[in-house]
Amino acid sequence: MGSLGHAPSGAQVELVIVNPLAAALQHYTAQLEKMLARAGIASTVLAVTEPSVSGGGRMQWLQQYLRALREARKLRKRGARIVVTWPVLGHIDRFLVPFVTGSRQAVIVMHDPRPLVRAVGYGRGAVILADLIAAPNSLIVHSDLAADEMPGRRDTITRLPHPLVSEVSSRALPTQPVVRVLGQWKPDRDLELLRDLASLLSGVSLEIIGRGWPPVEGWAVRDEFVPEVELDRLLRSSTAVLIPYRRYYQSGIAARAIELAVPVVGGSRELSPMTGADYPFLVPDGAAVGRWADAVQAALASPAGRTAEVSISAGLSASAPWREWVRS
């Protein structure tokens, strides 16, 4: 288990963040902690490294997770709320977490209401049992789309923005525009859209960087894991970032690009909760590839000030609801 985070000196911890995916959700958790600190809320993080990084087995991971929840129980006695950033056991966590932490107010962030790959605790039986036992408002989602597709009781869902902290700074961009797709390959990536876009975007360097990607015609593909430092560099040096997914509830890559004031092109339903509905690079559901190409070209030509304004506004919009929720 990772080390216990530290609250500001002399401050009473108001929120305990349990992160069972210390590597995959490192940035997410760090930004949540930073965002709350800027809002005057002291939080602390208990992190557990996932098996794919630690090299340990799933049972060892589960044991460390339960240990972190028991540690959170001790901190809860000081009056802190508890949020778990990933459901290790799916809907089972909705009654397991309150039981272990001793808090009916402990909540779980549900990033993928309907996982793309087989996962423990998402079957009908687990959902029914959780609905019978779990307290109201035991789940957090980051979009209306995620709330709409969450199975089970509606009163268990709290809608809060994806954590965002504006980190606008000057960027040195390459002479030739670079559009990048970043992140691990998953079956919901729209390869047809990418191939069609390549034929419409001349004079633009098109790159896909992430583990597991197949070859895509017209794109330079690097099938490799991208560490945190490299991901930050790739984002900062991109002229625009493309989110070409058929179905997703929120995008950590999009959130990071918005924080850095890098133009993001993607679906309006998924991205507008972070950017605002008037963000100029959003594409409606079912739009033709030409509409996507127009959005990319607009992003490449956009002034830095426009995306900087969005970054600052998005950070403020995300912070206020979280502050209200922690102190409610």
Side-chain angles (χ1 to χ4, degrees):
M1 185 174 71
S3 61
L4 184 65
H6 298 285
S9 177
Q12 173 68 39
V13 172
E14 296 181 67
L15 182 69
V16 180
I17 304 167
V18 179
N19 177 16
L21 299 179
L25 292 181
Q26 176 185 353
H27 185 81
Y28 175 96
T29 304
Q31 296 303 78
L32 175 57
E33 191 177 21
K34 188 185 299 183
M35 182 181 73
L36 293 173
R38 291 184 180 182
I41 293 174
S43 60
T44 191
V45 178
L46 299 167
V48 177
T49 305
E50 54 268 45
S52 61
V53 177
S54 68
R58 187 172 180 84
M59 285 305 301
Q60 181 184 2
W61 179 44
L62 181 58
Q63 290 169 356
Q64 292 174 340
Y65 174 50
L66 293 174
R67 193 180 307 141
L69 293 177
R70 289 193 292 270
E71 184 66 27
R73 183 187 186 110
K74 298 176 186 177
L75 294 170
R76 186 191 68 82
K77 293 179 181 178
R78 305 176 195 171
R81 295 196 69 161
I82 298 170
V83 60
V84 178
T85 61
W86 185 269
V88 171
L89 296 173
H91 289 269
I92 296 171
D93 272 21
R94 290 168 55 194
F95 50 87
L96 174 69
V97 169
F99 174 75
V100 178
T101 61
S103 174
R104 293 275 287 174
Q105 292 187 330
V107 299
I108 300 103
V109 181
M110 191 70 77
H111 297 265
D112 299 311
R114 301 184 185 277
L116 292 170
V117 297
R118 184 179 177 85
V120 175
Y122 289 87
R124 179 172 174 78
V127 173
I128 292 174
L129 185 58
D131 278 351
L132 290 173
I133 300 174
N137 303 312
S138 57
L139 295 172
I140 289 174
V141 298
H142 292 321
S143 68
D144 291 336
L145 179 60
D148 292 343
E149 296 201 11
M150 183 73 70
R153 283 167 40 198
R154 300 290 92 190
D155 69 338
T156 63
I157 301 170
T158 296
R159 165 80 163 79
L160 287 173
H162 191 291
L164 279 168
V165 178
S166 178
E167 297 180 344
V168 179
S169 62
S170 59
R171 298 189 297 128
L173 296 176
T175 304
Q176 182 182 32
V178 178
V179 175
R180 289 192 175 110
V181 175
L182 300 168
Q184 182 179 349
W185 156 259
K186 292 179 182 177
D188 65 336
R189 295 352 183 195
D190 194 337
L191 296 181
E192 182 179 359
L193 171 64
L194 289 171
R195 286 191 293 265
D196 291 346
L197 267 176
S199 66
L200 298 177
L201 297 174
S202 59
V204 179
S205 178
L206 303 174
E207 299 179 5
I208 298 172
I209 306 169
R211 186 167 48 193
W213 276 86
V216 181
E217 186 178 352
W219 292 76
V221 178
R222 285 165 49 189
D223 173 9
E224 60 187 52
F225 171 74
V226 181
E228 278 290 315
V229 174
E230 175 68 2
L231 179 57
D232 186 76
R233 186 193 69 78
L234 289 169
L235 283 165
R236 291 180 184 275
S237 61
S238 298
T239 315
V241 170
L242 179 66
I243 312 294
Y245 308 154
R246 292 191 182 91
R247 177 177 68 88
Y248 62 102
Y249 303 104
Q250 70 275 322
S251 167
I253 294 295
R256 294 180 71 151
I258 292 165
E259 289 176 333
L260 298 171
V262 178
V264 183
V265 178
S268 57
R269 188 179 182 191
E270 295 84 2
L271 292 185
S272 60
M274 286 192 279
T275 63
D278 62 344
Y279 191 65
F281 321 127
L282 302 181
V283 183
D285 289 350
V289 66
R291 186 70 178 270
W292 282 87
D294 290 343
V296 171
Q297 295 289 4
L300 297 178
S302 65
R306 178 69 179 92
T307 49
E309 290 173 2
V310 170
S311 178
I312 295 168
S313 175
L316 294 174
S317 297
S319 175
W322 274 95
R323 185 178 188 276
E324 182 179 349
W325 175 77
V326 170
R327 292 184 169 168
S328 63

